[in-house]
Amino acid sequence: MSGLKFKDYENLTLISQIALIMIIPIFGGLFLGKWLDEKLQTGNIFLLTMIILGVIIAFLNLFKYTMRGIKNRDDKDDEDE
Amino acid sequence: MSEGFGPQKVFEIFGMPITNTVTVTWLIMAIVISVSYFATRNLKKKASGAQVITELVVSSINNLTEQTMGEKLKAFSPYIGTLLIFIGISNISGLFGVRPPTADVNTTLSLAIVTFFMIHFFGIKYNGLKYLKGFAEPFVLLLPLNIMGELATPISLGFRLFGNIVGGMIIINLLYGALANFTPEFIGIPLLQAGIPVVFHIYFDLFAGVLQSFIFAMLTMVFISIAVD
C-alpha cells in the first residue's frame, strides 16, 4: 500500500464512480420517459426514447471517464520518467 | 416519511417538519463549531498539547488538497476539510445510536449540489467561455447529451454516500432485531446484542463511513480540478 500515490487514490475513486455514471442516465431516462408518457398520454414513445437516450449518455460518460483515466496514466508515466 | 427506515419527524417549526437527521446535524454542527473555536484560542508559536493535533489535522488536509489539486488550487482546502470532517463525523455518529445525517438523502444531495455548483462556477471562473464551449464538443448536437450526462455527477455523489450509509444502518437495525429474538429470555441481559454487532459496526460505520467521506472529498477535488484545468 505504501507504493500508492495520490494519483492512484484519485483513479481508485474514479473507478468507483464508473458504475454509477452508467446506471444513473439510464434510470433517469426511464423515470423521465414514464413521467412524460403519463403526463401526455402518449403510450410508450417517451419511455423508449428516453431509455435509448439514457444509454447513449451512459456510453458518452463512460467514454469521457476512460479518456480521463488514460490522460491521468500518461501524466503519471511522464512523472515517473 | 415516518414509517419504515425513513427519518422520523421529531417536531415542527412553522409547519416545517424537523426530522431526527436534522437534529443530529445540529448536534454535529455544534460539536464541530465549538471544537474549532476552542482549538484555535491561545495559539502559540511553539505548538503544544491540543494545538499539535489541530496543526496536524489542518496540515494533512492542506497536504491532501495540494497533492490532488495542485499548488494553484490549494485554496480549496477549507471546503475539502469541511466536507471530510462533517461527512466523517456524520457517518461515524451511527456508532452512538443516533441516525447519521448522511442516512438522509436530503443531506447528501444538498452536499452534492453544493459541489456541483462549485465545479461549474470555478470552471467558468477560471476558463470563461472556453469551459462552456467544452459542453458542445466534439460537435454541437451533443450539447444536450453532455449537459444531461453532467447531471449524473451530483446524483451519483449524493446517492452513493446515502446508499452506503443507509444500507449499513438498515443491516445493523435488522441485526439488532434478529439478535433480540435469539437471546434466551432466562439470561435477562442482552448478551448477543452486546458482542456480535461490533464487527458490523466496525465495517459499516467506521470503515465504510471513513472511506465514503474520503471518496466524496476526493471526487469533489478531482471534479473541480478537471473543470479548472
Side-chain angles (χ1 to χ4, degrees):
Chain A
M1 286 295 276
S2 59
L4 285 181
K5 288 182 191 160
F6 279 101
K7 266 277 189 276
D8 300 317
Y9 289 114
E10 200 179 306
N11 284 335
L12 278 176
T13 50
L14 282 176
I15 286 172
S16 73
Q17 186 79 349
I18 284 178
L20 286 166
I21 54 135
M22 278 180 74
I23 207 81
I24 285 168
I26 300 175
F27 271 88
L30 174 84
F31 288 118
L32 187 68
K34 196 165 170 284
W35 180 77
L36 277 175
D37 272 339
E38 273 169 19
K39 204 87 181 161
L40 305 170
Q41 304 283 327
T42 42
N44 286 328
I45 294 291
F46 277 109
L47 184 72
L48 288 170
T49 331
M50 288 296 168
I51 289 178
I52 292 169
L53 209 66
V55 174
I56 296 172
I57 294 171
F59 271 108
L60 209 68
N61 271 347
L62 193 63
F63 177 74
K64 278 195 267 182
Y65 268 71
T66 320
M67 295 315 281
R68 210 173 278 166
I70 290 173
K71 189 176 163 280
N72 269 352
R73 200 186 56 196
D74 290 347
D75 289 352
K76 195 174 163 249
D77 289 346
D78 291 345
E79 276 170 29
D80 289 345
E81 275 166 15
Chain B
M1 287 292 270
S2 58
E3 284 172 19
F5 287 106
Q8 314 280 320
K9 196 172 92 177
V10 185
F11 57 90
E12 279 188 10
I13 297 177
F14 306 120
M16 202 164 55
I18 302 294
T19 56
N20 51 358
T21 47
V22 178
T23 49
V24 176
T25 309
W26 289 342
L27 191 71
I28 292 171
M29 276 162 63
I31 293 170
V32 173
I33 290 171
S34 44
V35 167
S36 314
Y37 181 81
F38 289 112
T40 48
R41 295 308 103 180
N42 298 322
L43 292 181
K44 292 183 187 74
K45 258 235 158 89
K46 200 164 184 287
S48 62
Q51 198 187 332
V52 178
I53 300 168
T54 317
E55 284 184 8
L56 185 72
V57 172
V58 172
S59 63
S60 49
I61 289 170
N62 278 342
N63 190 25
L64 176 76
T65 318
E66 200 183 329
Q67 294 276 332
T68 317
M69 303 177 82
E71 180 75 32
K72 194 176 81 174
L73 301 174
K74 222 170 79 178
F76 280 97
S77 67
Y79 177 62
I80 303 301
T82 312
L83 279 182
L84 266 175
I85 292 169
F86 174 70
I87 299 175
I89 295 179
S90 299
N91 293 350
I92 292 172
S93 68
L95 283 178
F96 301 100
V98 294
R99 190 191 168 92
T102 37
D104 187 341
V105 77
N106 298 304
T107 313
T108 57
L109 265 188
S110 38
L111 288 173
I113 288 169
V114 172
T115 291
F116 176 72
F117 279 106
M118 275 186 86
I119 293 169
H120 297 297
F121 175 77
F122 284 102
I124 295 169
K125 191 183 167 193
Y126 277 83
N127 294 323
L129 287 175
K130 208 180 103 201
Y131 177 74
L132 292 176
K133 201 177 142 261
F135 285 108
E137 277 170 1
F139 44 90
V140 185
L141 271 180
L142 284 179
L143 179 71
L145 297 188
N146 274 333
I147 291 174
M148 279 161 89
E150 210 57 47
L151 288 178
T153 308
I155 299 174
S156 66
L157 273 176
F159 276 94
R160 167 225 300 283
L161 183 60
F162 168 71
N164 271 287
I165 303 306
V166 89
M169 196 198 74
I170 289 174
I171 290 173
I172 286 172
N173 274 344
L174 291 175
L175 186 75
Y176 273 114
L179 289 176
N181 283 334
F182 286 131
T183 312
E185 270 181 30
F186 60 86
I187 302 177
I189 47 169
L191 196 66
L192 289 174
Q193 289 106 298
I196 295 172
V198 172
V199 188
F200 291 84
H201 273 300
I202 288 176
Y203 178 74
F204 287 114
D205 287 334
L206 274 179
F207 177 70
V210 173
L211 189 71
Q212 288 308 320
S213 65
F214 179 74
I215 287 180
F216 195 100
M218 199 73 182
L219 283 174
T220 303
M221 289 191 280
V222 172
F223 287 139
I224 292 177
S225 51
I226 286 171
V228 168
D229 272 345

